[in-house]
Amino acid sequence: MGEKVLMKGNEAIAEAAILAGCRHFFGYPITPQNEIPEYMSRRMPEVGGVFLQAESEVAGSNMVYGAACAGARVMTTSSSPGISLMQEAISYMAGAELPCVLVNIVRGGPGLGGIQGSQADYFQATKGGGHGDYKLIVLAPSSVQELMDLTITAFDLADMYRNPVMILGDAILGQMMEPVILKERPKQDLPPKTWATVGAKMRPKNVITSLSLDPVKLEKHNLRLAEKYKRVADEQVRYKTYMADDAETLLVAYGTCARIAQAAVDIARERGLKVGLFRPISLWPFPYDALQLTAQESLRVLVVEMSLGQMIEDVRLAILDSKPVCFYGRTGGMTPTPREVLDEIEKIVEEGI
Amino acid sequence: MKQVFGRPDALTDVPTHYCPGCTHGIIHRLVAEVIDELGVRERTIGISPVGCAVLAYDYFNCDFVEASHGRAPAVATGIKRVLPDSVVFCYQGDGDLASIGAAEIVHAATRGEKITVIFVNNAIYGMTGGQMAPTTLPGQRTTTSPRGRDVESAGYPIRVAELLSSLSGVAYIARVSATSPANVTKAKRAVRKAFEMQIDGKGFSLVEFLSTCPINWGMSPLEAMKWVDEKMSLYYPLGDYTQVPEVG
Amino acid sequence: MHEEVVFAGFGGQGVLLIGQLVTYAGMIEGANVSWMPSYGPEMRGGTANCQVVVSSKEVSSPLVTEPTSLIALNKPSLDKFAPWVKRGGLIIYNSSLIQSPPGRTDVRVLAVPANEVANELGDLRIANMVALGAYLATSRVVSCDTVLDAMKRVLPERRHNLIPLNRQALARGIEIASVWHSRDRGDVSGRQ
């Protein structure tokens, strides 16, 4: 513990899960996240855990459902097309309030798309994805160390709120190597899983279901979930800022794009442009209030994404009509360069936006 | 006074929603009796399907999980891998198991998951109102095969017991029915053996019940029983299907 | 110090490995580092590359689009990445496989006959190490000793018997670079 090691993002996620006490992993191969199941297949037997390669993402995510019912800390990982296949289980787990950690190492889409990094699954992750009124807690790391730290956090949040938590990465974060420090996990005071189906010994039976045929009861359940989501929104907003205090142009970006945007901020500052960065870390709950406050003194906001523009809708909800919200994005697996972002900054500054 | 007949501990005191003449009730009872006799109720976790038995968790008095359509074997896998000492059973219908869940049942069987599957085959979708099932017989009329199942277009019914019995992870497979006291006795023996196989760690076990759906078949309960004996069991012969070749 | 390097070549030439060694060594020496590989079908028989940042500052973008150095072990890689290199930067290319030098006059260019040297040492697979040696001697981004230390950590135990040979290859690369340095002294400018 405490040692600095060089790790691939995908492997950092896997090791973080082990550190968080996850001993059950179910998954199905898909590029660009195969290092995770490969790592787990080596590592799980060493720590007395279970690695199982499922027959599909559909089955894998339902194995997660089962393991979560049995009270285990459990994870599955995939990339965009595979995450689409998991939406059924995700909706059921949200409905049945089962804790689990899901990782999406996003690649370009739609359809089979490509295998290069993308952020085009933002809507799917934060606005539903599956059917029904529900929310996932969605965390967006932007370094290998953060992949590790937030994966550990994800397990705690899942147990704390009895809710699936998604780590939204991308192919670049998954494939890159950076130094990480393996940290001892701070002890969390988590509620006991008295609801788990582990055998009705000396207690009435437990039933886990998302079925509620009586709409009166289902509405009550939905409202109770809504209260929980509100609690999460009050307690779990995460974000970081970089040189944002005096920024006339405020960039908003998450994940890999935030790294690129930060490089653009550095070059812009060298050129005397007052540019800063707001980086949402929790994509749900989205840091609406914090962004509004940070942007208060800015003249304009520029959202940078590896998509056609998805998070920008949340940014607009935060900023409302108080100032212009511009967008620069690359999609299909292409990545914006710091130079491109800088050009865009200069363009909007020049145009007087 | 000595009690000679009563409700098994593994059943709740709740009237079921099943239609008159449907054998789900008998099958529930057989499973519950076996759970009682083996003394495993406190470590049993059942998984109910999507279909007529979706509310099975109300009727069994043990921990229960409701799975999404067809995924019960995957959910069971997740539970069993976390709790290897538990007794896990799936209760699935024909649409759930042989249609939408065909992949999950095949792979759970071939992995030799130590779970028991109670497969209720009544050759029709009951809960949704009598549509064609993967096990609907050739020529059989349903609401989505109004002229009778045309195998040229809809293909042939799946014989699940035969299909799965070719897989090496299987420890025990039988096809039974509950149409007569004699058949019920045989069926219970099969259910018991299936649970024992799981408890002994032998591998995957499944009991296929040929069951009735008088309402959607448009028959009286008695006619339905007769139809199982005279029609269904011709296409789906009763018996033991454990014939897995030992592969080294 | 802020170095952004692209290591590129055929899949199988070991460009990902030498990139990793530099990254690891940078980390050992206390620098901020990142390593980003190309991946996917292009790795199978096509060109492979990795982008490495070694910096005294926090690494913002791990994606290198304006490298300070390029190490190109085959022609397609040189053709693709040579135009990316920053003015005043460094291009090291494998002259065993690449006949004509890159058409850049605003960067320093070093030809290293990596395959020939590796063959002389008896193992073609260490051509990457020859190029790496030349790069280390020219850029001084990390020390050769630290790279050897990193090698012990990166290579699995069963491959440690290859370390002496790799050390030889690195040394030959360093030698080639120092001959070039003494010849082209005065041409070296603008390096941090």
Side-chain angles (χ1 to χ4, degrees):
Chain A
M1 288 290 167
E3 196 199 352
K4 212 182 214 188
V5 292
L6 194 62
M7 274 187 125
K8 249 193 179 191
N10 282 335
E11 295 183 342
I13 292 169
E15 188 56 33
I18 305 272
L19 282 173
C22 168
R23 291 295 178 270
H24 293 85
F25 180 91
F26 304 93
Y28 186 81
I30 182 170
T31 306
Q33 61 83 55
N34 292 317
E35 291 83 1
I36 305 178
E38 284 167 3
Y39 190 93
M40 285 304 201
S41 69
R42 284 197 306 275
R43 195 78 174 91
M44 275 301 188
E46 290 174 5
V47 294
V50 171
F51 164 83
L52 183 60
Q53 182 166 322
E55 60 269 31
S56 69
E57 288 89 348
V58 173
S61 52
N62 278 285
M63 290 172 187
V64 169
Y65 179 98
C69 286
R73 286 204 146 178
V74 57
M75 175 164 90
T76 187
T77 64
S78 189
S79 180
S80 311
I83 298 290
S84 291
L85 283 172
M86 293 182 184
Q87 293 304 327
E88 171 191 77
I90 293 174
S91 167
Y92 276 66
M93 287 191 282
E97 294 191 87
L98 292 171
C100 68
V101 174
L102 313 155
V103 177
N104 184 359
I105 300 298
V106 182
R107 55 189 251 182
L112 199 46
I115 57 168
Q116 301 302 320
S118 166
Q119 296 183 325
D121 295 356
Y122 180 92
F123 284 152
Q124 186 197 48
T126 61
K127 308 288 174 190
H131 59 281
D133 257 345
Y134 76 92
K135 289 289 180 193
L136 297 181
I137 299 171
V138 183
L139 303 176
S142 81
S143 67
V144 178
Q145 182 71 58
E146 248 187 18
L147 281 173
M148 176 161 267
D149 296 344
L150 289 176
T151 300
I152 294 173
T153 301
F155 280 99
D156 288 339
L157 294 182
D159 284 347
M160 209 181 294
Y161 296 103
R162 280 189 67 180
N163 208 69
V165 179
M166 178 175 277
I167 299 287
L168 195 69
D170 64 59
I172 292 165
L173 283 167
Q175 294 296 322
M176 68 189 266
M177 285 179 110
E178 281 184 325
V180 283
I181 296 169
L182 304 176
K183 287 181 209 152
E184 198 79 61
R185 193 165 69 91
K187 282 267 173 292
Q188 295 288 325
D189 199 13
L190 296 167
K193 297 182 175 181
T194 51
W195 45 265
T197 50
V198 295
K201 195 169 187 175
M202 316 290 279
R203 60 154 169 79
K205 66 171 178 172
N206 281 341
V207 171
I208 294 175
T209 179
S210 58
L211 178 69
S212 191
L213 289 169
D214 177 354
V216 175
K217 281 189 186 157
L218 183 53
E219 187 185 47
K220 261 192 195 141
H221 175 60
N222 286 142
L223 291 173
R224 209 175 49 72
L225 288 179
E227 271 171 38
K228 174 172 87 175
Y229 299 145
K230 179 160 186 324
R231 215 166 65 241
V232 178
D234 289 342
E235 296 167 358
Q236 298 301 337
V237 166
R238 288 173 161 77
Y239 64 93
K240 274 200 171 146
T241 59
Y242 180 71
M243 311 198 87
D245 286 350
D246 64 341
E248 290 173 354
T249 306
L250 184 67
L251 306 186
V252 186
Y254 69 95
T256 290
C257 260
R259 301 283 295 265
I260 293 159
Q262 188 173 322
V265 169
D266 287 340
I267 315 174
R269 289 274 170 178
E270 279 169 24
R271 297 189 176 187
L273 289 167
K274 286 187 175 171
V275 180
L277 170 67
F278 183 92
R279 172 165 76 91
I281 296 172
S282 57
L283 299 183
W284 198 88
F286 189 82
Y288 293 107
D289 295 344
L291 175 56
Q292 192 205 22
L293 215 65
T294 308
Q296 215 149 37
E297 303 300 320
S298 314
L299 301 176
R300 60 192 80 81
V301 171
L302 174 63
V303 181
V304 185
E305 294 183 68
M306 278 144 61
S307 74
L308 291 174
Q310 300 193 9
M311 181 180 68
I312 188 172
E313 296 193 2
D314 282 320
V315 174
R316 285 210 172 108
L317 282 176
I319 305 291
L320 292 174
D321 292 329
S322 64
K323 60 203 64 185
V325 177
C326 310
F327 177 75
Y328 184 76
R330 297 294 301 268
T331 187
M334 295 298 285
T335 314
T337 65
R339 190 69 56 180
E340 286 170 18
V341 177
L342 184 72
D343 288 347
E344 192 63 24
I345 294 167
E346 287 178 335
K347 195 182 104 193
I348 58 176
V349 169
E350 223 163 84
E351 285 171 0
I353 290 172
Chain B
M1 205 203 308
K2 189 179 169 221
Q3 188 180 345
V4 292
F5 187 81
R7 178 171 49 80
D9 286 346
L11 282 186
T12 55
D13 190 10
V14 173
T16 72
H17 69 285
Y18 299 119
C19 309
C22 164
T23 63
H24 264 311
I26 300 173
I27 300 166
H28 279 28
R29 185 183 173 92
L30 294 181
V31 172
E33 284 180 359
V34 166
I35 290 171
D36 277 10
E37 288 168 19
L38 294 171
V40 294
R41 189 190 69 84
E42 293 185 339
R43 58 182 174 116
T44 295
I45 298 127
I47 296 132
S48 56
V50 172
C52 289
V54 66
L55 293 172
Y57 54 74
D58 281 342
Y59 311 137
F60 282 97
N61 185 23
C62 60
D63 275 6
F64 235 88
V65 172
E66 210 291 303
S68 58
H69 201 15
R71 318 298 174 217
V75 174
T77 299
I79 295 173
K80 188 75 183 196
R81 295 294 180 116
V82 174
L83 305 166
D85 294 330
S86 62
V87 177
V88 178
F89 77 95
C90 300
Y91 193 104
Q92 299 183 262
D94 42 46
D96 192 77
L97 181 142
S99 189
I100 196 167
E104 283 76 12
I105 193 68
V106 165
H107 286 271
T110 201
R111 282 194 304 268
E113 289 299 337
K114 291 162 191 69
I115 60 172
T116 299
V117 178
I118 305 300
F119 170 41
V120 180
N121 174 5
N122 61 5
I124 206 157
Y125 279 75
M127 190 176 72
T128 46
Q131 296 83 7
M132 188 183 73
T135 51
T136 292
L137 295 182
Q140 185 185 338
R141 284 174 198 270
T142 71
T143 58
T144 52
S145 59
R147 293 170 201 85
R149 179 176 187 149
D150 173 10
V151 294
E152 285 300 317
S153 156
Y156 293 87
I158 295 178
R159 294 184 178 96
V160 169
E162 288 87 334
L163 181 75
L164 296 182
S165 68
S166 72
L167 302 171
S168 298
V170 168
Y172 178 70
I173 290 190
R175 184 181 286 126
V176 299
S177 77
T179 54
S180 67
N183 280 341
V184 168
T185 308
K186 281 187 210 160
K188 182 169 170 188
R189 220 177 291 142
V191 171
R192 186 178 169 113
K193 192 165 175 197
F195 273 86
E196 283 170 348
M197 284 293 178
Q198 174 183 178
I199 292 164
D200 296 346
K202 294 282 199 294
F204 176 88
S205 57
L206 178 143
V207 179
E208 175 175 347
F209 276 86
L210 299 186
S211 183
T212 50
C213 188
I215 301 288
N216 287 306
W217 290 355
M219 297 178 195
S220 73
L222 277 177
E223 286 167 346
M225 293 289 188
K226 213 170 143 201
W227 198 76
V228 169
D229 286 340
E230 292 177 0
K231 291 276 171 20
M232 272 187 87
S233 28
L234 290 186
Y235 194 90
Y236 301 111
L238 304 184
D240 189 333
Y241 284 89
T242 315
Q243 48 185 7
V244 185
E246 286 290 332
V247 180
Chain C
M1 187 257 301
H2 184 80
E3 177 80 350
E4 301 188 12
V5 208
V6 173
F7 297 91
F10 289 124
Q13 276 185 311
V15 292
L16 299 189
L17 175 65
I18 55 176
Q20 248 183 53
L21 289 173
V22 170
T23 314
Y24 219 112
M27 182 183 81
I28 294 171
E29 292 186 2
N32 297 296
V33 294
S34 69
W35 175 90
M36 175 69 210
S38 62
Y39 60 91
E42 66 174 333
M43 296 279 290
R44 299 180 187 100
T47 61
N49 73 78
C50 64
Q51 310 180 351
V52 172
V53 182
V54 181
S55 180
S56 47
K57 297 180 300 180
E58 183 191 347
V59 178
S60 44
S61 172
L63 296 167
V64 174
T65 46
E66 295 168 27
T68 41
S69 300
L70 164 67
I71 289 80
L73 296 191
N74 69 352
K75 186 152 190 318
S77 301
L78 184 68
D79 292 346
K80 179 174 178 187
F81 293 110
W84 292 23
V85 178
K86 257 194 177 143
R87 183 188 301 204
L90 168 70
I91 296 178
I92 292 176
Y93 71 97
N94 181 3
S95 56
S96 307
L97 296 181
I98 306 167
Q99 313 311 329
S100 46
R104 291 273 308 254
T105 51
D106 57 343
V107 297
R108 299 179 303 158
V109 177
L110 168 57
V112 176
N115 286 29
E116 284 156 65
V117 175
N119 274 330
E120 279 168 33
L121 292 170
D123 194 337
L124 181 59
R125 286 175 305 174
I126 54 171
N128 59 342
M129 292 295 162
V130 179
L132 177 59
Y135 170 63
L136 295 178
T138 314
S139 69
R140 298 183 185 277
V141 60
V142 289
S143 85
C144 185
D145 284 346
T146 320
V147 167
L148 285 164
D149 187 14
M151 208 179 286
K152 281 179 209 146
R153 305 202 204 178
V154 171
L155 290 180
E157 197 93 35
R158 63 192 160 81
R159 306 278 296 277
H160 281 195
N161 58 330
L162 297 173
I163 292 179
L165 186 63
N166 282 311
R167 187 203 306 267
Q168 276 184 309
L170 283 170
R172 288 295 301 275
I174 292 169
E175 202 181 296
I176 291 167
S178 33
V179 168
W180 173 72
H181 270 281
S182 51
R183 206 180 54 215
D184 290 357
R185 202 190 305 260
D187 192 31
V188 182
S189 58
R191 303 290 301 157
Q192 292 169 319

